[in-house]
């Protein structure tokens, strides 16, 4: 299993690439509510294509919160359609729904061959979003999820600090950082986990993303 500082995980045995929390249309979802955020170019598809080019996976799993909100705006629908059409033409695409993805089905292209799932299990690995309760399963050795947007705060011990997105690792759980560049991240320990399945989990490591490098930090 390869953790990539570009906020992705690649499972070599099944050649599956997974990312979580794309939050497509984040800017437009806020602008429609009167928050005039800058219209920056959407980079999600380009970043995914770069990962696909590097790893040559058979399957790409998008683990929930694929859109920020299913607002009926042409720009959001167009972004979703372009991303799904481009990915489906290159790879087997699995769309796992999250709490932001209500009515996402109506935004998908009519000829989309990818289907929406609440979970995806492959070779004893379960892929979910994480907003719903999930129970241990004897046939599952590892659960990969998103939803939390985990981040780790590092500082100089005096006055300067910064937050960095991170992976969270335990014996049978891997929490992915948000793939969205708009996600500042929820600093580990600053608030309880949102996911019902993580309330009592003690993670062994935070793998912090620092530019193009990973910094493992023991938590136990």
């Amino acid at each position: 299993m390869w953790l990539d500082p570009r906020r992705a995980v690649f499972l070599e045995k099944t050649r599956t690439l997974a990312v979580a929390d794309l939050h497509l249309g984040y800017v437009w979802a806020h602008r429609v509510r009167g928050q005039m955020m800058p219209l920056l170019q959407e980079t999600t598809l380009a970043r995914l294509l770069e990962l696909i080019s590097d790893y040559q996976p058979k399957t790409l799993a998008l683990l929930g919160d694929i859109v920020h909100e299913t607002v009926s705006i042409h720009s959001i629908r167009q972004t979703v359609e372009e991303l799904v059409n481009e990915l489906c033409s290159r790879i087997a695409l699995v769309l796992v729904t999250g709490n932001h993805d209500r009515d996402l089905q109506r935004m998908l292209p009519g000829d989309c061959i990818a289907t929406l799932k609440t979970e995806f299990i492959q070779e004893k690995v379960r892929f979910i979003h994480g907003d719903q309760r999930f129970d241990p399963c004897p046939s599952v050795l590892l659960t990969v999820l998103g939803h939390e947007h985990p981040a780790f705060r590092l500082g100089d011990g005096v006055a300067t600090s910064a937050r960095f997105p991170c992976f969270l690792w335990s014996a049978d759980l891997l929490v992915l950082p948000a793939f969205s560049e708009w996600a500042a991240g929820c600093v580990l320990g600053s608030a309880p986990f949102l996911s019902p399945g993580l309330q009592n989990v003690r993670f062994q490591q935070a793998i912090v993303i620092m530019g193009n490098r990973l910094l493992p930090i023991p938590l136990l």
Side-chain angles (χ1 to χ4, degrees):
M1 183 171 64
W2 298 89
L3 302 184
D4 193 292
R6 290 169 290 182
R7 310 187 188 194
V9 60
F10 177 66
L11 287 87
E12 189 170 352
K13 181 178 180 181
T14 57
R15 304 204 64 77
T16 298
L17 181 71
V19 300
D21 299 285
L22 279 64
H23 288 274
L24 295 173
Y26 181 89
V27 170
W28 279 109
H30 282 274
R31 286 176 71 91
V32 76
R33 303 193 186 287
Q35 301 170 25
M36 294 294 103
M37 300 183 71
L39 289 174
L40 303 179
Q41 183 177 1
E42 177 66 69
T43 63
T44 301
L45 178 56
R47 292 161 59 215
L48 287 172
L49 292 178
E50 182 181 73
L51 285 163
I52 290 171
S53 175
D54 289 348
Y55 286 102
Q56 295 295 305
K58 291 182 179 179
T59 304
L60 172 63
L62 307 182
L63 306 187
D65 287 0
I66 296 163
V67 295
H68 188 67
E69 191 175 349
T70 50
V71 181
S72 184
I73 293 180
H74 173 71
S75 295
I76 297 179
R77 183 184 297 275
Q78 183 181 39
T79 298
V80 173
E81 289 182 351
E82 288 178 355
L83 180 135
V84 170
N85 282 331
E86 183 66 30
L87 294 177
C88 282
S89 69
R90 297 168 178 264
I91 196 170
L93 180 63
V94 177
L95 304 176
V96 177
T97 55
N99 50 299
H100 282 249
D101 296 322
R102 297 181 182 90
D103 299 323
L104 177 61
Q105 185 70 54
R106 63 185 175 84
M107 284 193 166
L108 299 180
D111 57 350
C112 175
I113 60 175
T115 57
L116 298 177
K117 302 174 180 288
T118 56
E119 69 173 22
F120 170 55
I121 297 179
Q122 183 187 51
E123 292 283 338
K124 298 185 179 182
V125 178
R126 171 172 53 184
F127 299 89
I128 59 174
H129 178 60
D131 57 310
Q132 302 294 323
R133 179 169 296 279
F134 56 93
D135 297 317
C137 178
S139 62
V140 170
L141 297 180
L142 176 68
T143 296
V144 181
L145 65 152
H147 187 51
E148 298 292 338
H149 301 197
F152 201 90
R153 186 176 296 281
L154 295 172
D156 61 5
V158 184
T160 302
S161 67
R163 68 175 67 187
F164 300 87
C166 69
F167 300 87
L168 293 177
W169 169 260
S170 76
D172 57 358
L173 290 170
L174 175 66
V175 182
L176 303 184
F179 196 72
S180 169
E181 293 181 309
W182 286 99
C186 181
V187 174
L188 185 64
S190 64
F193 288 116
L194 297 172
S195 175
L198 300 183
Q199 299 302 318
N200 298 312
V201 174
R202 295 187 66 189
F203 286 97
Q204 296 169 355
Q205 275 191 334
I207 298 94
V208 180
I209 298 172
M210 306 190 70
N212 61 358
R213 303 184 71 176
L214 297 175
L215 174 65
I217 297 179
L219 298 177
L220 294 180

